[in-house]
Structures are given as structure tokens and as C-alpha cells.
Amino acid sequence: MTPPEPAMIEPRILEVRTKILKKNDELARDMRDQFQSAEVLVTNMVSSPGTGKTTLLREMLTRFVAAGDRVAAIVGDLETDNDARRLAESGAPVRQIMTHGCCHLEADMIEEHLEGWELSELDFLFIENVGNLVCPTSWDLGESVRVALLSVTEGEDKPLKYPGLFNTSDVAVITKIDLAIPCEFDRNLALENIQSVRPGMQVFETSAKTGEGMDLWIDYLRQKRNQLIGTVGSIGK
Amino acid sequence: MHELSIANSLVEIATEYLAKERVKNDESSVVKSITLRIGALSCVHKSALNFSFELVTKDTLLEGAELKVIDVPVTIFCKPCEREVELPGIQRFRCPVCDTPSADIRQGKELDIDTIEIAENASTPA
Ligand SMILES: Nc1nc2c(ncn2[C@@H]2O[C@H](COP(=O)(O)OP(=O)(O)O)[C@@H](O)[C@H]2O)c(=O)[nH]1
Ligand SMILES: [Mg+2]
Ligand SMILES: [Zn+2]
């Protein structure tokens, strides 16, 4: 009789050491490479419901279309395609992702909804994430720019309550600044709170209603695209 | 509740490892526990993750496996101090020693599987 192997009785510890979302991360990395070689700047917009993502994005798309830039948008919502219809008023191609309860977008949803679009025919692709300040933070969508938005109606302490979002975002936008005075928005406090959770973060202030701050914000995105194209060039050398 | 999506990914990975173990070592292998490393900035609620994990493992090979969580605090690199310093919270990204702001985050965003503990299924006759 052979004694049982000790390894079969002792619990075995497998050193896995892997990211739980590695599948999403790997797909997002591939997509980022594709976006980069197609020279399309992808921007992922994250905020609470009602911050003004759709209104701002429609205004952005309208301006890009008028300037002759090739833009498209993908918008995620739990239900309905209302936002896609609002965005399509800009004249840009728009696709809706209905997540049916899922509180964030994942890379494979974007990949699926890109089908039939020729990436090399786009300069900018915008993704409006599902309205939520927590859930979207862990999912890389292959974007080059992640923007955290907050409106003057939401309270200045949002950054302190959601440091995870501000720390995975590249830039912040404060929306609805036309309402700053009636809402008694404390601008300095909001900026201070953003800097507290993310030192050095660049912040834009916009109103989709009056157009204030739009030019600076759009210039920033153009600069980001130029940087992206610059890196493609240097890789080619 | 994004913890459900996280639990699904977790189960997918653990099931792959278990399948390999069963082929390689012992048909009756089961997952006894999974140890995760979860950063303070990862936006994951442990109770929601435990709840989701139980839900998605019900009636599967992973049913009954225990989730163990190692909490990872945020650290930033402080230039003046020339070292990595741990933050007591996640609202203020300044060095606790010299008060210099830093966005150079070195840890705290983890959402990782560290180890999987495999055991023989005690209820399986030898
Ligand atoms: N006054 C003002 N209202 C705005 C502005 N942007 C959005 N809104 C309003 O805020 C509400 C929510 O906007 P929406 O774009 O749907 O937000 P989303 O859920 O983040 O996409 C709507 O009633 C908009 O008209 C703005 O810049 N100024
Ligand atoms: Mg919207
Ligand atoms: Zn220091």
C-alpha cells in the first residue's frame, strides 16, 4: 500500500496574482492600440445622472461637425434611446447602448457597438457612460481621455465623496456654470476639493446653454488628439 | 451594483484555475478560499462583493468558497521626502509628513486575485 501523497491532503495555494478585470483590461488595451493607429481620440465621459453629459456632448458634437471634424458618439443608458436621439440632432453618427440594469459600460460593449464604423474615418469618438460616479471607474474602455464631470447644482464636495473617479480621470469639467450664482456655487471650494483628491488636475468650466468655456474645452480635446497623432508618428520612426 | 460584474470575472478566472488543478492533480479538488487584494480607491464594497459572489457561485463548482480580502491602503510618492508614504484616508492626497501634494499614486487601485486555495473535497470518497 502506498501512502497518499501529502500534496493531495494539504491545501495547495496557487499564486494567481492577476487582475480580476484582466479580460476587460486586455481588450481595452487592444482597442486603445487600434484607436491610436486609426488616429481617433476616444473620450469617456463619467458623471452622475443629470450632470449634463448629453447636453454638453450634443453641443460639442455640433461644434465639431460645423468645423468639419469627423466625430461619432456612443451613449450608455440603463434603458431608452432618448439620449442617442438628442445627440443625433448634432448630425454626428450616434449609437445607443442599453445596458438593461448594468450600471457601467465595459470594453466588450464598446467593441460590439463599433461594428461597421471605419475607425480611420473618425477624428474623435465620444463615449457617454451610464450616469454613475462609482461603477464606471474600474472599467477601461480603451479611451485616451477620461473626463469626470460635476455640475454646479451637485454640491462642491462631490470630489471628496468620489475620489476613485477623480483619481482615474485625466481631466475634470464643471458643467452648468450659467447656474453658478442662483445655486450659490462655491467655485473656490469645488476647485480646492478637486485638487485635494487629485493634485494638479486640469479643470474646465462650461455652460452648454450659454456656450461659455466651450472653446477652451474643445481646444483641449484637439490638443489631446494632436498629442495622440504625435505618438503614432514617433512609433513609426 | 458593479460588484456583480466583478464577481462574475472573479468566478471565471477561479473556475479556469480549478479546472487545470483537477486535470493536473486531483479530480476532487475544490476551491477552499480566494484571497483578493482590494485597494482603498477601487470603489468596491466588500459586503456587496461577498453577496454577489455567493449569488453567482450558487450551484457551481465554486459554491462555498470563502472570499478573503487584503485591504490595500493608498500610498503616494512624496518627492521632498524621497519616499513612498501611506495615506490615512482617500480625501487628501498630501504627504502626511511634509504636507506636499502628490498625484503619484503607487498603490490603492488594486482589484486583484492574490491566491487561490485548493483543497480535496472532503465529501468525496477516496
Ligand atoms: N442651465 C443649464 N442646464 C443644463 C446644462 N447642461 C444640462 N442642463 C440641463 O440639465 C438636465 C440634465 O442634462 P443631461 O444632459 O440630460 O444630463 P446627463 O444625465 O448627464 O446626460 C437637463 O434638463 C438639461 O437641460 C447647462 O449647461 N446649463
Ligand atoms: Mg445622458
Ligand atoms: Zn513628504
Side-chain angles (χ1 to χ4, degrees), chain A residues 8-23 101-104 106 132-139 159-161 163-165 167-168 193 195-200, chain B residues 1-3 5-6 9-10 12-13 16-18 21 25-26 29 32 36 38 41-44 49 90-94 101-103 105 109 111-120:
Chain A
M8 309 263 273
I9 292 163
E10 294 296 314
R12 297 183 293 275
I13 305 288
L14 310 179
E15 310 279 339
V16 177
R17 310 220 196 287
T18 184
K19 292 191 184 304
I20 299 176
L21 300 181
K22 73 166 179 196
K23 218 169 139 188
C102 186
C103 48
H104 59 271
E106 302 189 5
N132 191 308
L133 284 165
V134 181
C135 307
T137 51
S138 306
W139 279 270
L160 301 181
K161 289 180 178 162
L165 171 62
N167 265 300
T168 56
N193 288 340
Q195 294 307 316
S196 177
V197 295
R198 184 68 191 270
Chain B
M1 205 177 69
H2 61 304
E3 283 82 0
S5 310
I6 292 170
S9 302
L10 176 57
E12 198 178 314
I13 296 170
E16 268 171 37
Y17 273 89
L18 178 61
E21 270 309 292
N25 288 307
D26 184 347
S29 294
K32 191 155 176 264
L36 309 177
I38 297 193
L41 276 174
S42 71
C43 312
V44 167
L49 184 59
I90 57 173
Q91 271 79 35
R92 204 163 177 274
F93 284 71
R94 280 173 179 266
S102 168
I105 299 173
K109 291 183 178 173
L111 198 50
D112 300 344
I113 303 180
D114 195 39
T115 55
I116 296 178
E117 184 186 9
I118 302 281
E120 254 184 299

Side-chain angles (χ1 to χ4, degrees), chain A residues 10-232:
Chain A
E10 294 296 314
R12 297 183 293 275
I13 305 288
L14 310 179
E15 310 279 339
V16 177
R17 310 220 196 287
T18 184
K19 292 191 184 304
I20 299 176
L21 300 181
K22 73 166 179 196
K23 218 169 139 188
N24 184 85
D25 286 353
E26 284 164 4
L27 176 59
R29 203 181 313 135
D30 289 350
M31 286 163 60
R32 184 174 292 104
D33 289 346
Q34 283 175 36
F35 296 146
Q36 189 158 355
S37 42
E39 305 192 341
V40 49
L41 185 86
V42 180
T43 303
N44 177 8
M45 302 169 73
V46 185
S47 80
S48 331
T51 297
K53 293 179 296 299
T54 307
T55 313
L56 176 65
L57 181 52
R58 186 183 56 190
E59 197 54 36
M60 289 157 59
L61 294 173
T62 303
R63 285 164 187 247
F64 277 119
V65 168
D69 293 287
R70 302 169 303 171
V71 287
I74 295 179
V75 51
D77 271 297
L78 298 172
E79 301 293 342
T80 85
D81 62 354
N82 293 343
D83 280 7
R85 280 191 276 114
R86 286 166 61 201
L87 292 173
E89 290 164 14
S90 66
V94 180
R95 285 183 179 167
Q96 177 82 47
I97 300 179
M98 267 185 259
T99 62
H100 303 295
C102 186
C103 48
H104 59 271
L105 296 176
E106 302 189 5
D108 58 354
M109 302 178 191
I110 302 298
E111 188 191 37
E112 202 179 298
H113 283 79
L114 281 173
E115 220 174 300
W117 276 351
E118 197 55 62
L119 287 179
S120 60
E121 289 169 10
L122 287 178
D123 301 322
F124 296 90
L125 171 69
F126 295 95
I127 301 169
E128 177 182 336
N129 219 309
V130 181
N132 191 308
L133 284 165
V134 181
C135 307
T137 51
S138 306
W139 279 270
D140 185 354
L141 304 181
E143 72 267 27
S144 289
V145 178
R146 183 179 293 186
V147 46
L149 302 97
L150 72 159
S151 67
V152 299
T153 60
E154 284 172 64
E156 297 82 358
D157 59 352
K158 271 276 159 77
L160 301 181
K161 289 180 178 162
Y162 302 95
L165 171 62
F166 285 82
N167 265 300
T168 56
S169 296
D170 302 288
V171 59
V173 173
I174 301 176
T175 61
K176 308 191 194 180
I177 51 161
D178 56 293
L179 298 178
I181 292 167
C183 289
E184 296 182 11
F185 179 66
D186 187 340
R187 176 175 180 269
N188 288 336
L189 181 59
L191 294 177
E192 198 179 291
N193 288 340
I194 293 173
Q195 294 307 316
S196 177
V197 295
R198 184 68 191 270
M201 187 175 228
Q202 202 172 348
V203 184
F204 290 87
E205 297 164 69
T206 62
S207 166
K209 284 270 146 77
T210 66
E212 198 179 338
M214 290 296 298
D215 289 341
L216 284 174
W217 170 231
I218 284 180
D219 280 351
Y220 167 85
L221 294 167
R222 287 191 191 286
Q223 267 173 36
K224 283 285 166 190
R225 176 156 188 273
N226 289 339
Q227 282 171 16
L228 182 86
I229 295 174
T231 18
V232 177

